[in-house]
Coordinates of all heavy atoms in Angstrom, one line a residue:
E1 N 0.8 -1.2 -0.1 CA 0.0 0.0 -0.1 C 0.9 1.2 0.0 O 0.6 2.2 -0.8 CB -1.0 -0.1 1.2 CG -2.1 -1.0 1.2 CD -3.1 -0.9 2.2 OE1 -2.9 -0.3 3.1 OE2 -4.2 -1.5 1.9
T2 N 1.9 1.3 0.8 CA 2.7 2.4 0.9 C 3.5 2.7 -0.4 O 3.6 3.7 -0.9 CB 3.9 2.1 2.0 OG1 3.3 1.8 3.1 CG2 4.6 3.5 2.2
E3 N 3.9 1.6 -1.1 CA 4.5 1.7 -2.4 C 3.6 2.2 -3.4 O 3.9 3.0 -4.3 CB 5.1 0.3 -2.8 CG 6.4 0.0 -2.2 CD 7.0 -1.4 -2.6 OE1 6.3 -2.1 -3.4 OE2 7.9 -1.9 -1.8
T4 N 2.3 1.7 -3.4 CA 1.3 2.1 -4.4 C 1.0 3.6 -4.2 O 0.9 4.3 -5.2 CB 0.0 1.3 -4.1 OG1 0.2 -0.1 -4.2 CG2 -1.0 1.7 -5.2
L5 N 0.9 4.1 -3.0 CA 0.6 5.5 -2.8 C 1.8 6.3 -3.1 O 1.6 7.3 -3.8 CB 0.4 5.8 -1.3 CG -1.1 5.3 -0.8 CD1 -1.1 5.3 0.9 CD2 -2.2 6.1 -1.3
Q6 N 3.0 5.9 -3.0 CA 4.1 6.6 -3.3 C 4.2 6.7 -4.8 O 4.5 7.8 -5.4 CB 5.4 6.1 -2.9 CG 6.6 6.9 -2.9 CD 6.4 8.3 -2.3 OE1 6.0 8.3 -1.0 NE2 6.6 9.4 -3.1
K7 N 3.8 5.6 -5.5 CA 3.8 5.6 -7.0 C 2.8 6.7 -7.5 O 2.9 7.5 -8.4 CB 3.4 4.3 -7.5 CG 3.5 4.2 -9.1 CD 3.0 2.8 -9.5 CE 2.9 2.8 -11.0 NZ 2.3 1.5 -11.5
L8 N 1.6 6.7 -6.9 CA 0.6 7.6 -7.1 C 1.0 9.1 -7.0 O 0.8 9.9 -7.9 CB -0.7 7.4 -6.3 CG -1.9 8.4 -6.5 CD1 -2.5 8.2 -7.8 CD2 -2.9 8.2 -5.4
Y9 N 1.7 9.4 -5.8 CA 2.1 10.7 -5.7 C 3.2 11.2 -6.6 O 3.2 12.3 -7.2 CB 2.7 10.9 -4.3 CG 1.8 10.6 -3.1 CD1 2.1 10.0 -2.0 CD2 0.4 10.9 -3.2 CE1 1.3 9.6 -0.9 CE2 -0.5 10.7 -2.2 CZ -0.1 9.9 -1.0 OH -0.9 9.7 -0.1
D10 N 4.1 10.2 -6.9 CA 5.2 10.6 -7.9 C 4.6 10.9 -9.3 O 5.0 11.8 -10.1 CB 6.2 9.4 -8.0 CG 7.0 9.2 -6.7 OD1 6.9 10.1 -5.9 OD2 7.6 8.1 -6.6
L11 N 3.6 10.0 -9.8 CA 3.0 10.2 -11.1 C 2.2 11.6 -11.1 O 2.3 12.3 -12.0 CB 2.0 9.1 -11.4 CG 2.8 7.8 -11.8 CD1 1.8 6.7 -11.8 CD2 3.4 7.9 -13.1
L12 N 1.4 11.8 -9.9 CA 0.6 13.0 -10.1 C 1.5 14.3 -10.0 O 1.1 15.4 -10.4 CB -0.3 13.1 -8.8 CG -1.5 12.2 -8.9 CD1 -2.3 12.1 -7.4 CD2 -2.5 12.5 -9.9
E13 N 2.7 14.1 -9.4 CA 3.6 15.4 -9.4 C 4.7 15.3 -10.5 O 5.5 16.2 -10.6 CB 4.3 15.3 -8.1 CG 3.5 15.6 -6.8 CD 4.2 15.3 -5.5 OE1 5.5 15.2 -5.5 OE2 3.7 15.0 -4.5
A14 N 4.5 14.4 -11.5 CA 5.6 14.3 -12.5 C 5.7 15.5 -13.3 O 4.7 16.3 -13.6 CB 5.2 12.9 -13.3
K15 N 6.8 15.7 -13.9 CA 7.1 16.6 -14.9 C 6.4 16.5 -16.2 O 5.7 17.4 -16.7 CB 8.6 16.8 -15.3 CG 9.5 17.3 -14.2 CD 9.8 18.8 -14.3 CE 10.8 19.4 -13.3 NZ 10.2 19.4 -12.0
G16 N 6.4 15.3 -16.8 CA 5.8 15.0 -18.1 C 4.3 14.9 -17.9 O 3.7 14.2 -17.0
F17 N 3.5 15.5 -18.9 CA 2.0 15.4 -18.8 C 1.4 14.1 -18.9 O 0.5 13.7 -18.3 CB 1.4 16.4 -19.6 CG 1.1 16.0 -21.1 CD1 0.0 15.4 -21.5 CD2 2.1 16.2 -22.0 CE1 -0.2 15.0 -22.8 CE2 2.0 15.8 -23.3 CZ 0.8 15.2 -23.7
E18 N 2.2 13.2 -19.7 CA 1.6 11.9 -19.8 C 1.7 11.1 -18.5 O 0.8 10.3 -18.2 CB 2.4 11.1 -20.9 CG 1.9 11.3 -22.4 CD 2.9 12.1 -23.1 OE1 3.9 12.7 -22.5 OE2 2.9 12.0 -24.4
A19 N 2.8 11.3 -17.8 CA 3.0 10.6 -16.5 C 1.9 11.1 -15.6 O 1.3 10.4 -14.8 CB 4.3 11.0 -15.9
R20 N 1.5 12.4 -15.5 CA 0.5 13.0 -14.6 C -0.9 12.4 -15.1 O -1.7 12.1 -14.2 CB 0.4 14.6 -14.7 CG 1.7 15.2 -14.3 CD 1.5 16.6 -13.9 NE 1.0 17.5 -15.0 CZ 1.7 18.1 -16.0 NH1 3.1 17.9 -15.9 NH2 1.3 18.9 -16.9
M21 N -1.1 12.2 -16.3 CA -2.4 11.5 -16.7 C -2.4 10.1 -16.3 O -3.5 9.6 -15.9 CB -2.5 11.6 -18.3 CG -2.8 12.9 -18.8 SD -2.9 13.1 -20.6 CE -4.5 12.5 -21.0
E22 N -1.2 9.4 -16.3 CA -1.1 8.1 -15.8 C -1.5 8.1 -14.3 O -2.2 7.2 -13.8 CB 0.3 7.6 -15.9 CG 0.4 6.3 -16.6 CD 2.0 5.9 -16.6 OE1 2.7 6.5 -17.6 OE2 2.4 5.1 -15.9
G23 N -1.1 9.1 -13.6 CA -1.4 9.2 -12.1 C -2.8 9.4 -11.9 O -3.4 8.8 -10.9
V24 N -3.5 10.2 -12.8 CA -5.0 10.3 -12.6 C -5.6 9.1 -12.9 O -6.7 8.7 -12.2 CB -5.4 11.5 -13.6 CG1 -7.0 11.6 -13.6 CG2 -4.8 12.8 -13.2
A25 N -5.2 8.3 -13.9 CA -5.8 7.0 -14.2 C -5.5 6.0 -13.0 O -6.5 5.2 -12.6 CB -5.2 6.4 -15.5
L26 N -4.4 6.1 -12.4 CA -4.1 5.2 -11.3 C -5.0 5.5 -10.1 O -5.6 4.6 -9.4 CB -2.6 5.3 -10.9 CG -2.2 4.4 -9.7 CD1 -2.5 3.0 -9.8 CD2 -0.8 4.8 -9.3
L27 N -5.3 6.7 -9.9 CA -6.2 7.1 -8.8 C -7.5 6.6 -9.0 O -8.2 6.0 -8.1 CB -6.2 8.7 -8.7 CG -7.3 9.2 -7.6 CD1 -7.0 8.6 -6.2 CD2 -7.2 10.8 -7.5
L28 N -8.1 6.7 -10.2 CA -9.4 6.2 -10.5 C -9.5 4.6 -10.3 O -10.3 4.1 -9.7 CB -9.8 6.5 -11.9 CG -11.2 5.9 -12.4 CD1 -12.3 6.5 -11.4 CD2 -11.5 6.2 -13.9
D29 N -8.4 4.0 -10.7 CA -8.3 2.5 -10.6 C -8.2 2.2 -9.0 O -9.0 1.2 -8.6 CB -6.9 2.1 -11.2 CG -6.9 0.6 -11.4 OD1 -7.8 0.0 -11.8 OD2 -5.7 0.0 -11.0
L30 N -7.6 3.0 -8.2 CA -7.5 2.7 -6.8 C -8.8 2.9 -6.1 O -9.2 2.1 -5.2 CB -6.4 3.6 -6.1 CG -5.0 3.2 -6.3 CD1 -3.9 4.2 -5.7 CD2 -4.6 1.8 -5.9
C31 N -9.5 4.0 -6.6 CA -10.9 4.2 -6.1 C -11.9 3.0 -6.3 O -12.7 2.7 -5.5 CB -11.5 5.5 -6.7 SG -10.7 7.0 -6.1
K32 N -11.7 2.4 -7.5 CA -12.6 1.3 -7.8 C -12.1 0.0 -7.1 O -12.9 -0.8 -6.6 CB -12.5 1.0 -9.3 CG -13.2 2.1 -10.1 CD -13.0 1.8 -11.7 CE -13.8 2.7 -12.5 NZ -13.4 2.8 -13.9
N33 N -10.8 -0.1 -7.0 CA -10.4 -1.5 -6.4 C -9.9 -1.4 -4.9 O -9.9 -2.4 -4.3 CB -9.3 -2.0 -7.3 CG -9.7 -2.3 -8.7 OD1 -10.8 -2.8 -8.8 ND2 -9.1 -1.6 -9.7
S34 N -9.5 -0.2 -4.5 CA -9.1 -0.1 -3.1 C -9.7 1.2 -2.4 O -9.0 2.1 -1.9 CB -7.6 -0.1 -2.9 OG -7.0 -1.0 -3.8
P35 N -10.9 1.3 -2.5 CA -11.5 2.5 -2.0 C -11.2 2.8 -0.5 O -11.0 4.0 -0.2 CB -13.1 2.3 -2.0 CG -13.3 0.9 -2.2 CD -12.1 0.3 -2.9
K36 N -11.0 1.8 0.3 CA -10.7 2.1 1.8 C -9.3 2.8 1.8 O -9.0 3.6 2.6 CB -10.5 0.8 2.5 CG -12.0 0.3 3.0 CD -11.9 -0.3 4.4 CE -13.2 -0.4 5.0 NZ -13.9 -1.6 4.2
L37 N -8.4 2.2 1.0 CA -7.0 2.9 1.0 C -7.0 4.4 0.6 O -6.4 5.2 1.2 CB -6.1 2.1 0.0 CG -4.7 2.6 -0.2 CD1 -3.9 2.5 1.1 CD2 -4.0 2.0 -1.4
V38 N -7.8 4.6 -0.5 CA -7.9 6.0 -0.8 C -8.6 6.9 0.2 O -8.2 7.9 0.5 CB -8.8 6.2 -2.2 CG1 -9.0 7.5 -2.5 CG2 -8.1 5.4 -3.3
A39 N -9.7 6.3 0.7 CA -10.5 7.1 1.9 C -9.5 7.5 3.1 O -9.6 8.5 3.6 CB -11.6 6.3 2.2
T40 N -8.8 6.5 3.4 CA -7.8 6.6 4.6 C -6.8 7.7 4.4 O -6.4 8.4 5.3 CB -7.1 5.4 4.9 OG1 -8.0 4.3 4.8 CG2 -6.4 5.4 6.3

């Protein structure tokens, strides 16, 4: 979970816009599959 969250933060803060879009997609994925993790 810690690694997943770190990956999410890194992508959302990335320099390249494609990476940031990946971060947004990852967040949606996490909301669907690990809503508790996101909520916490």
Side-chain angles (χ1 to χ4, degrees):
E1 291 190 345
T2 312
E3 280 173 11
T4 304
L5 286 171
Q6 196 50 57
K7 184 183 173 191
L8 176 66
Y9 302 140
D10 291 346
L11 285 169
L12 286 173
E13 293 169 20
K15 288 263 186 289
F17 83 92
E18 275 115 338
R20 296 200 300 276
M21 287 175 82
E22 232 178 283
V24 173
L26 175 59
L27 176 57
L28 180 57
D29 195 46
L30 288 174
C31 288
K32 287 176 175 168
N33 300 309
S34 321
K36 277 221 172 68
L37 176 67
V38 176
T40 314

